[in-house]
């Protein structure tokens, strides 16, 4: 039998510290490895598979589109792209859309858009403010945007035009804004940074600040959008609206896609300013349209809120039971559990052995981002496994 671990070691660049499992199949909230062992998937393809694996509505759309037209060029009109653009606009506060293929790529697009805005409306302002512990992607510019020194260090010098200031500190943002600032870019809940939540009123104040200074508020909803926090878009939970929003991850339930959305006043690109070969192709957009339509028509964000609350209550009970659990946090189905010691890696492997996929977001914290279609029974199953694993850490 082929040893896939050996093949990976030989042929794949050393970019991932992988877990010792080869996944071959998925259905709903479950995946199977090549020895046919079943796992409950609270990793969700890294907050991607909002409708679960192999969802029939998405699979049908992909098959039909693959049999019809996969790729043309953005120099022609294509129907799935415009259907997806329309449903996005009709169900958000933004008015125009551009499609690319990943989160980093649409964040790059957002920064280019903000710089065009700065050139046209703000006398050439180009600087984008981001915050500590944020994550905006792995391209060079998004590494500079990402407020984590450890990710920037190996690649210095960083591209210019980004300033990272302390998260949750309004005064730091106010101080950092200067004549060259064209935008502030934020995640509503910092996913990769540790499921960090904002202080009460922080986003209201940030929105006011942007309005007062005439600069753009870019919300990176790549992880928080598509129902993850319990509403279709995260901004609905915080009572603010962005000028620009980026989406990726769950938008096509696993088919690579990213969307850059802007309000009318911020939608300043003209032909030639930006583009993409694959971005917005019929296959990805058909998958995206089927996913978003299903999410809206079946109130998937409602399920995320309901089961998210239920799961959170269970996590809080575990916190009561185990004194080394110092915090549980998050919203909807983007949740984390933090410990007073670095047991994340061990806890993750023990969950894996017991058939539960979770993420170690920090050495001392696990993150949960299951498909948004999970049931309370599946949440109970995950909680039982977690309980058993945590019991092993009692000293
Ligand atoms: N922005 C946020 C908030 C993310 O969570 C991620 C990925 O984790 C990205 C951007 C980058 O997306 P991608 O990996 O699709 O480039």
């Amino acid at each position: 039998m082929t040893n896939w671990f050996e093949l990976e070691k030989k042929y794949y660049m050393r970019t991932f510290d992988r877990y010792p499992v080869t996944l071959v199949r998925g259905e709903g909230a479950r995946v199977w490895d090549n020895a046919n062992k079943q796992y409950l998937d609270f990793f969700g393809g890294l907050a991607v598979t909002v409708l679960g694996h192999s969802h029939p509505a998405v699979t049908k759309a992909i098959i039909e589109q693959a049999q019809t037209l996969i790729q043309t060029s953005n120099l022609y009109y294509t129907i799935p792209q415009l259907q997806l653009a329309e449903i996005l606009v009709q169900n958000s506060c933004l008015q125009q859309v551009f499609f690319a293929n990943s989160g980093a790529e649409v964040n790059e697009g957002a920064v280019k858009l903000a710089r065009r805005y700065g050139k046209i409306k703000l006398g050439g302002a180009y600087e984008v403010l981001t915050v500590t512990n944020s994550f905006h992607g792995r391209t060079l510019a998004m590494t500079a945007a990402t407020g984590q020194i450890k990710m920037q260090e190996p690649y210095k010098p960083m591209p210019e035009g980004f300033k990272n200031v302390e998260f949750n500190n309004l005064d730091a943002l106010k101080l950092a804004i200067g004549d060259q600032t064209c935008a502030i870019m934020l995640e509503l809940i910092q996913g990769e940074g540790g499921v960090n939540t904002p202080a009460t009123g922080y986003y209201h104040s940030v929105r006011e600040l942007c309005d007062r200074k005439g600069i753009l508020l870019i919300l990176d909803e790549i992880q928080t959008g598509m129902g993850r926090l319990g509403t279709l878009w995260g901004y609905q939970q915080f009572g603010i609206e962005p000028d620009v929003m980026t989406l990726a991850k769950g938008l096509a339930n696993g088919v690579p896609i990213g969307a850059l959305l802007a309000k009318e006043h911020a939608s300043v690109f003209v032909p030639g300013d930006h583009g993409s070969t694959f971005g917005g192709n019929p296959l990805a957009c058909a998958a995206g349209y089927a996913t978003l339509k299903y999410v809206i028509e079946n109130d998937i964000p409602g399920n995320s809120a309901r089961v998210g609350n239920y799961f959170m209550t269970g996590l809080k009970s575990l916190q009561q039971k185990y004194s080394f659990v110092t915090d549980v946090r998050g919203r909807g189905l983007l949740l984390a559990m933090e410990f007073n010691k670095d047991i994340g890696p061990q806890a993750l492997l023990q969950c894996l052995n017991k058939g539960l996929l979770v993420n170690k977001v920090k050495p001392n914290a696990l993150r949960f981002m299951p498909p948004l279609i999970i049931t309370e029974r599946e949440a109970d199953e995950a909680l039982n496994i977690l309980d058993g694993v945590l019991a092993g850490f009692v000293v």
Side-chain angles (χ1 to χ4, degrees):
M1 207 170 112
T2 310
N3 185 330
W4 301 109
F5 302 167
E6 286 302 317
L7 237 64
E8 197 264 359
K9 207 178 267 169
K10 189 166 172 194
Y11 294 120
Y12 207 88
M13 289 193 192
R14 303 269 172 276
T15 45
F16 302 107
D17 217 358
R18 298 184 205 248
Y19 312 124
V21 171
T22 305
L23 297 176
V24 294
R25 184 163 68 86
E27 195 183 320
R30 315 240 164 212
V31 286
W32 285 261
D33 69 14
N34 57 348
N36 212 24
K37 178 174 169 181
Q38 188 188 111
Y39 302 84
L40 181 60
D41 186 5
F42 271 50
F43 197 109
L46 238 176
V48 167
T49 47
V50 288
L51 295 182
H53 299 277
S54 306
H55 192 280
V58 186
T59 303
K60 180 169 177 282
I62 293 171
I63 290 172
E64 285 177 5
Q65 195 57 48
Q67 288 170 337
T68 309
L69 184 69
I70 292 179
Q71 164 75 5
T72 60
S73 153
N74 278 308
L75 295 178
Y76 302 95
Y77 297 82
T78 52
I79 295 166
Q81 180 182 97
L82 298 171
Q83 286 177 320
L84 180 56
E86 183 179 42
I87 194 174
L88 278 167
V89 168
Q90 286 178 345
N91 290 281
S92 74
C93 67
L94 293 308
Q95 278 113 34
Q96 295 213 297
V97 182
F98 173 87
F99 292 116
N101 311 287
S102 68
E105 213 184 319
V106 284
N107 280 343
E108 290 266 349
V111 168
K112 284 176 75 178
L113 188 69
R115 286 192 177 196
R116 288 299 293 142
Y117 186 87
K119 271 223 169 23
I120 297 163
K121 304 196 182 185
L122 302 172
Y126 63 92
E127 197 168 68
V128 175
L129 304 184
T130 62
V131 295
T132 47
N133 285 322
S134 58
F135 182 78
H136 297 296
R138 298 278 189 170
T139 59
L140 204 50
M142 286 310 108
T143 300
T146 289
Q148 301 191 43
I149 304 289
K150 66 174 192 288
M151 292 192 185
Q152 299 178 352
E153 207 55 56
Y155 302 104
K156 280 185 167 172
M158 286 287 106
E160 279 181 43
F162 297 95
K163 212 185 260 176
N164 306 138
V165 307
E166 197 185 10
F167 178 48
N168 262 339
N169 183 340
L170 193 67
D171 291 334
L173 265 184
K174 280 184 191 162
L175 260 172
I177 293 180
D179 291 346
Q180 298 305 326
T181 312
C182 64
I184 297 175
M185 181 155 86
L186 299 166
E187 297 157 88
L188 290 162
I189 288 186
Q190 297 183 327
E192 303 305 301
V195 188
N196 305 319
T197 52
T200 313
Y202 178 64
Y203 291 129
H204 266 285
S205 307
V206 173
R207 179 67 267 181
E208 272 168 28
L209 188 61
C210 288
D211 289 341
R212 197 148 28 87
K213 299 282 181 182
I215 62 176
L216 298 178
L217 176 59
I218 303 169
L219 289 184
D220 174 345
E221 290 238 31
I222 286 161
Q223 192 151 156
T224 53
M226 291 298 288
R228 176 66 50 192
L229 300 189
T231 44
L232 187 55
W233 315 120
Y235 68 76
Q236 294 167 291
Q237 307 234 339
F238 295 96
I240 54 155
E241 289 189 358
D243 303 297
V244 176
M245 174 168 85
T246 53
L247 304 172
K249 291 204 183 273
L251 180 53
N253 206 45
V255 177
I257 191 168
L260 163 64
L261 294 91
K263 286 203 171 182
E264 196 83 50
H265 72 278
S267 186
V268 293
F269 281 151
V270 295
D273 277 355
H274 197 46
S276 171
T277 298
F278 295 126
N281 83 18
L283 186 70
C285 288
Y289 181 64
T291 304
L292 184 53
K293 196 161 175 288
Y294 192 95
V295 163
I296 293 167
E297 287 175 358
N298 294 278
D299 190 23
I300 299 301
N303 193 64
S304 170
R306 219 169 17 256
V307 184
N309 277 336
Y310 182 82
F311 189 58
M312 179 62 134
T313 306
L315 291 177
K316 281 188 174 147
S317 305
L318 292 178
Q319 184 182 9
Q320 294 293 314
K321 188 166 170 187
Y322 299 104
S323 61
F324 58 87
V325 176
T326 49
D327 191 25
V328 292
R329 56 178 180 267
R331 284 200 193 196
L333 284 168
L334 178 58
L335 299 169
M337 172 178 263
E338 189 157 315
F339 313 108
N340 66 3
K341 44 193 175 184
D342 290 352
I343 59 170
Q346 276 170 282
L348 179 146
L349 285 177
Q350 289 178 25
C351 285
L352 192 70
N353 283 338
K354 291 176 189 282
L356 174 68
L357 303 187
V358 296
N359 169 242
K360 166 192 67 70
V361 72
K362 297 204 287 191
N364 67 335
L366 296 179
R367 176 174 46 163
F368 311 98
M369 44 198 163
L372 309 182
I373 44 97
I374 59 159
T375 59
E376 292 180 349
R377 188 182 288 194
E378 285 163 332
D380 280 338
E381 201 180 321
L383 288 164
N384 278 336
I385 293 176
L386 205 52
D387 192 1
V389 166
L390 295 180
F393 289 98
V394 174
V395 281

